[in-house]
Amino acid sequence: MTAWTRKDLLTMRELEPGEIVALVDTAASLQEIATRDIKKVPALRGKTVVNLFYENSTRTRTSFEIAGKWLSADVINFSASGSSAAKGESFLDTAKNIEAMSPNVVVVRHSSSGAATILARELTKCSIVNAGDGAHEHPTQALLDLLTIREKKGHFEGLNVAIVGDIAHSRVARSNIHGMRKLGMTVTVAGPPTLIPPFIHDLGVKVSYRLEEAIRDVDVIMMLRLQNERMTGGLIPSIREYSRYWGLTLDKLKAHARPDVLIMHPGPVNRGVELSPEVADGPYSVILDQVTKGVAVRMGVLLMLAGSKGGDA
Ligand code: CP
């Protein structure tokens, strides 16, 4: 197994294939903790994890908190609202004050691309995990997606994946493209032309502007929501029209996709827009499996960074 030597986890782009597989393998081995009556191991006893969240989150923040607690770390949740950020304290000053309290790992989510990278450079005494920075990357989401795919399909190499929707504003798309390409998967991105960035060809993906074409013969369909909070305006005519052309319904699935296709979504799902309820809750969907695996992946990441064999900073 590739040895983990990094201080931080910031992007999928920078990881070697062996490092990605090591993280997925570690997470896979930790999954059984969830099945125990007493969900607690002493691996991170005496270590402190701070969740520094400047943007809303349900899955990522909760799963990092559960992961830290199951590993016996002390976990502190920081939200910008209710903190001295509301009195004008800067992101960097806040982070340096958190670092002054000697955490081992700071998990950061921020609406600005590059926020986690800045913290990793400025905070030299603790590890930084990127829990989503603007439209840039969300590496732990890609890792849990990869773990879900490997468990359902048995391997990575040679799989075909369609990532559909608002590619332009999606950190999940970017992290998954990097991870999937490094592991030998073929990725097609699909969406309206206004939501496909021109640089996407540089990432080694195929591009489609028709849902029916993109989902044909793929092993995995990853649907994305419209990320209105990152849009600057008028990129689609209307939600109703978007849903008509880009919403995945059971009829479209049965007409164009393989019978063993996996339907994935990072959440939150906008039901009736990108996914019909029948698809979101149906037999092809692994959306809640992804959430379950999120805890194992975040345990694996915390263990790699703060465990005795990791790069405990
Ligand atoms: N997938 C994801 O990042 O979800 P949250 O925004 O709820 O954390």
Side-chain angles (χ1 to χ4, degrees), residues 56-61 109 131 138 141 171-172 266-268 298:
N56 294 342
S57 169
T58 296
R59 284 145 288 268
T60 311
R61 184 162 68 174
R109 169 169 287 194
H138 192 353
Q141 178 68 44
R171 55 199 179 202
V172 174
R298 277 127 194 171

Side-chain angles (χ1 to χ4, degrees), residues 25-56:
D25 287 346
T26 303
S29 71
L30 293 166
Q31 290 190 97
E32 62 87 19
I33 294 174
T35 66
R36 295 185 191 178
D37 190 26
I38 297 174
K39 300 173 179 58
K40 193 74 113 179
V41 297
L44 294 187
R45 196 165 51 198
K47 307 281 182 172
T48 302
V49 176
V50 177
N51 285 329
L52 187 64
F53 275 60
Y54 275 72
E55 206 189 59
N56 294 342

Side-chain angles (χ1 to χ4, degrees), residues 273-284:
V273 180
E274 69 269 17
L275 275 183
S276 71
E278 296 75 30
V279 176
D281 303 326
Y284 305 92

Side-chain angles (χ1 to χ4, degrees), residues 194-212:
T194 48
L195 297 179
I196 306 277
F199 69 79
I200 206 77
H201 293 278
D202 300 342
L203 303 185
V205 299
K206 300 180 188 173
V207 177
S208 172
Y209 299 107
R210 280 197 66 224
L211 175 70
E212 293 76 4

